[in-house]
Structures are given as C-alpha cells and as structure tokens.
Amino acid sequence: MSSDLLSALRAITGDGGVLTEAADLEPYVTDWRGMFHGRALCVALPRTTQEVSAVVRACAAAGVPVVPQGGNTGLSGGATPDASGRQVVLCLKRMNAIRAIDVAGETMEVEAGCVLQTAQQAARARALLLPVSLAAEGSACVGGIVATNAGGTNVLRYGMARARVLGLEVVLADGTVVEGLRALRKDNAGYDWKQWFIGTEGTLGVVTAAILQLAPLPRHTVTAWLALPSPEAAIAVLRAARQELGDALSGFELMSGEAIARVEQHLGLRSPLPAAPWFVLLEASASLGGLREAAEAVLARSLEAGDATDCVLAESGQQAAALWKLRECITEAEARTGKSMKHDVSVPVSAIPAFLAAADPAVAAAFPGVRINAFGHAGDGNIHYNVILAPGTDTAALNVLVHDLVVRHGGSISAEHGLGQYRVDEALRTRHAAETDLARRIKRALDPGGVLNPGKVLPQ
Ligand code: 2HG
Ligand code: ZN
C-alpha cells in the first residue's frame, strides 16, 4: 500500500521529488530547536500547484495524512509529523518563484516556498517594503508566514502577516485548487475565504501562492536604545513615542535586563548602555523629514519624566543593526542557558506591567530555581514570557500558572507562534467551548477525512 503511494508520488513530483532515506528525512521530521521529533513515510517536494494538488489527492485516496512544511522555523511543532511514520511531509521549498511585482499597485505575487528574505530583497530592489520582519526571515518561507499568520517586530505599524495578504491560491484536502490570486484592496464579493487559510497552520488547506500588499520603502529610519526602571516606564515611553512619532513608530521591543545580560554573556555582544532592569529598542521610519527631531523629543521627554534613565540614538545603519542583533539573539542566548518553556503570550498593551507584576513573583514562588526570560514586542502587547527550567520543574503546572494569569489579564496563550502541536491542550483549556466547537465545525467541513495536518491546532 505505502509502496503504491510512494510510486504515485514519485510519478507526480519527478526527479528528487520524494525523499525516503532516514538521513534525508531527518531535517524535515524534527523542528529546528529539536523540541519535536516525528517520523515520516516520505517527504514530497512538488514543483507546481498542480503537483501539490496531485500529491494531496493521492495521499487522501490512500488515507495518508499530509503535513505541510516550508522553512521549518516554527516554534510550536506545527510542521513536524507525528511519531507514526505514516504521514507525508509536503515540503513547498521547490515552489519558490516570485511570479510578479506590481510597482504602482505595490503588490507581489509569490509562491509558498520562497524564502521571506528573498521576497523582501526583491521588493526592496523596486523601492518597496515587504513589511513582515522576524528573526527567522533568512529561512522562513512565505507559505509558512501566511499559514501561521506570523508576527514579528513591526506588527505595531504594519499588522501581522494576515494584514499583508490580498489574494491566495490554496489546495484543499480533496486536491481542489482554489484560485483567489486577486490583487485587490477592496473585494467584498462574498465570504473572504482566504482568512480560513491564514493562521490555520495547514489544517484546512495548503497555501501554494499569495499576493502580498507591499508598502512604500521609507527613506529615513531612526533606532534608539533606552534603559528603563520598569515595565510601567516602558508603557509611558510607548505613549510618548506614539504621540511624537505617530504611525512612523514601527518597532517597540521590551527586554529584561537579564535577557540582555545573557546575550552579552553567551554571545559576546555588548549593550551600548550599562546594566539596567529593562531595555527598550524603538524604531521609526518615514519618507518625510523631521523623524530624528521627533525621536529626540521622545528621548528627552522620557529622560525628563524618569521613564528612561539612559538612552542612545543609532548614528548609522551599522549601529542600528548592532542594536537589533542584541534583541534578535535573545532566543539563542536563552537556548544556550538551558532548557526553557516558551510562553508566547499577549495581553492588552496597558496590561503588560500588571501581568508581569503578577507573574514574576508567582512563578518564582511556585518553581524555585527557574529563571524568567521576558522580552517581546511590547508595542503590540506580545511578551515572550519564557522560563528557563530548573531540574525537576513541573512544566505542565508552570504552563497552567502562566496561562491562567494571561487569561486573567484579558490575554491570549499564543500571540504569534500559533498552537501547532505544542499548545493544543492549553488552547482547549483556556478558550471558550463555543470557540473550539466552531473551529471543529470548520475543520470537519473543509477536511472531513482528517487529511491535513491532523493533531495540530485542534486535538485529533
Ligand atoms: C522573537 O520574538 C521570536 O524573537 C522568538 O518570536 C521568541 O524565542 C522566543 O520565544
Ligand atoms: Zn516574537
């Protein structure tokens, strides 16, 4: 039976289109952090939408589940197959064309397997900005960015991946290709069905191509690094930045002093300011002038009010990149410190200080010896409240404690990393039953046979 399917998949995908050797499968059956391990019947690498459709149809006919995968940079195990060895990993990397860029319309049509950074560079070469930016952009693929509704560092200004998607091409669980590659800002002709495939992690369909809304490439950028006494102060600085910079404010990252100390210790980088309880990395960009003056006004106001105790403004692109490097290396420094539990949470921006004030002592009291690694995109309410474990930490109890506090502060247990397989149980526990029931009804309607990424987002 499985050899019939393998022959069919080989016939569909041509040379190099099916991998079965254990060594070849390894990079596709484990996530990049090494947290989730699975097995697979094979990896299929189609080259066209028609081949994706044929692969899905063949798998559905054989009753074999399909696990879509792009750059395999997710943090929730959404692209890792289960342990059965029966699932087919459907890797979209060979579908990587940038099909078209419409400069006047500020849109780009791109295939799912195109690396995000490649798409960003192609936009930049035409004086346009593809404003989805995240640490994994050198490997993450556009299809995964869409399918997981990725967030990142400029959501505050440009929204999550969802906000960039104008049109989609999708393969359904029965192999049907749904063609919705329309480059329209306004399209109210019925259900906006593309939303069903954005952020649903390949459980309702396989994204094969997208039309993305680009933005004008700003001519000027300012980047600042501030030392702060507290999260309350950070919210006051954010308010000042919104008043002085308005929509030009594109990034507002909050990092604990411990998070930056770990980056300095493990990666040999240096913060331009001495140790402080908290740091903020603030960025704004615009094409009109006056940006630097506005940023200086934010810093002056913040220093005067005591919300910032020290600050620097980058004097060059190189200095700005060094500041971003400090921020982007926090995940790696955390990994080098020890095993951690990730909590990708969001609360209303104004509730960030109260959430942290409640969570820090509660976690310290219940789990002696753990270290909290709190950082994130405070401008949009997303805190990565990661906890570096001590020997014997009860991780299930830790999740419950943190997530219950998140819910109590009006938050979500996944701001941007999605549920994958990692947070399915916690989502079930913390969401309203009617929300889960609605999701189940949609899953049943679009994938009655359970072909697409079973066990992800919803329990199997
Ligand atoms: C980031 O903001 C990523 O750098 C990773 O979302 C966060 O390591 C994490 O938990
Ligand atoms: Zn993040």
Side-chain angles (χ1 to χ4, degrees):
M1 180 66 192
S2 61
S3 69
D4 288 353
L5 178 61
L6 287 172
S7 318
L9 296 181
R10 282 196 187 98
I12 293 163
T13 56
D15 270 356
V18 175
L19 309 177
T20 53
E21 295 298 323
D24 295 339
L25 295 183
E26 187 47 35
Y28 300 89
V29 296
T30 303
D31 72 310
W32 68 273
R33 282 205 301 149
M35 286 272 293
F36 306 97
H37 304 278
R39 290 170 57 229
L41 178 63
C42 69
V43 175
L45 293 131
R47 296 160 296 189
T48 63
T49 305
Q50 284 61 42
E51 289 185 10
V52 174
S53 159
V55 166
V56 171
R57 193 169 279 137
C59 290
V64 168
V66 170
V67 180
Q69 191 179 100
N72 196 15
T73 60
L75 288 157
S76 310
T80 308
D82 70 12
S84 69
R86 280 190 66 246
Q87 302 189 327
V88 169
V89 174
L90 171 56
C91 177
L92 290 126
K93 270 193 196 152
R94 290 210 295 179
M95 273 192 76
N96 60 6
I98 294 172
R99 292 181 183 165
I101 296 180
D102 174 352
V103 175
E106 299 180 348
T107 63
M108 166 187 276
E109 181 176 334
V110 57
E111 292 184 348
C114 180
V115 170
L116 175 58
Q117 196 169 61
T118 307
Q120 289 168 341
Q121 284 162 352
R124 192 167 278 270
R126 312 296 294 273
L128 290 164
L129 178 73
L130 171 50
V132 179
S133 182
L134 35 86
E137 64 199 19
S139 322
C141 294
V142 168
I145 293 293
V146 171
T148 61
N149 186 28
T153 53
N154 56 19
V155 169
L156 167 63
R157 174 161 177 190
Y158 294 104
M160 296 189 59
R162 185 187 305 284
R164 313 320 306 169
V165 180
L166 295 182
L168 275 190
E169 179 188 81
V170 175
V171 171
L172 302 183
D174 63 1
T176 304
V177 178
V178 190
E179 223 292 23
L181 288 170
R182 284 180 288 268
L184 300 175
R185 297 288 288 270
K186 302 180 87 168
D187 181 6
N188 257 352
Y191 289 170
D192 187 8
W193 57 260
K194 65 180 181 292
Q195 302 300 343
W196 305 339
F197 306 97
I198 302 171
T200 50
E201 305 187 43
T203 59
L204 301 179
V206 182
V207 172
T208 50
I211 294 191
L212 302 177
Q213 174 74 62
L214 307 175
L217 187 65
R219 292 213 176 98
H220 316 288
T221 300
V222 287
T223 310
W225 183 260
L226 298 87
L228 317 176
S230 65
E232 284 82 359
I235 300 308
V237 174
L238 174 63
R239 184 74 198 122
R242 291 286 285 174
Q243 284 175 332
E244 301 291 341
L245 290 156
D247 284 343
L249 184 68
S250 54
F252 193 89
E253 299 287 313
L254 177 66
M255 299 147 280
S256 72
E258 286 98 337
I260 292 305
R262 272 188 283 275
V263 170
E264 294 185 316
Q265 183 192 341
H266 292 286
L267 295 149
L269 303 177
R270 283 284 154 259
S271 159
L273 300 178
W278 294 88
F279 291 103
V280 157
L281 174 54
L282 175 161
E283 190 160 275
S285 56
S287 288
L288 297 178
L291 195 61
R292 198 172 167 96
E293 293 71 18
E296 281 167 354
V298 176
L299 302 188
R301 272 179 66 174
S302 302
L303 288 170
E304 198 178 330
D307 296 324
T309 50
D310 209 348
C311 60
V312 286
L313 208 50
E315 296 296 336
S316 65
Q318 217 172 358
Q319 281 182 10
L323 296 177
W324 276 106
K325 186 115 208 252
L326 283 164
R327 161 63 183 89
E328 276 162 3
C329 285
I330 294 177
T331 297
E332 195 178 336
E334 176 187 304
R336 293 202 195 180
T337 307
K339 194 167 164 354
S340 63
M341 257 350 243
K342 297 217 177 264
H343 301 106
D344 164 41
V345 309
S346 59
V347 293
V349 169
S350 50
I352 290 174
F355 165 71
L356 291 170
D360 288 354
V363 169
F367 305 98
V370 302
R371 282 166 287 174
I372 293 159
N373 195 34
F375 64 101
H377 321 288
D380 62 40
N382 180 187
I383 299 295
H384 297 301
Y385 195 78
N386 300 344
V387 180
I388 301 164
L389 304 176
T393 307
D394 179 344
T395 53
L398 172 63
N399 278 342
V400 167
L401 186 150
V402 172
H403 290 158
D404 283 355
L405 281 171
V406 167
V407 172
R408 210 169 304 152
H409 287 84
S412 166
I413 67 153
S414 179
E416 61 173 4
H417 295 170
L419 299 179
Q421 53 182 282
Y422 184 42
R423 298 189 177 86
V424 173
D425 294 343
E426 279 296 274
L428 212 55
R429 198 178 67 77
T430 53
R431 289 274 164 169
H432 299 296
E435 291 182 285
T436 306
D437 182 52
L438 185 59
R440 279 209 174 95
R441 284 201 251 173
I442 292 178
K443 173 73 175 169
R444 268 199 297 272
L446 289 181
D447 183 18
V451 173
L452 293 176
N453 220 2
K456 313 294 167 47
V457 182
L458 283 167
Q460 211 160 344

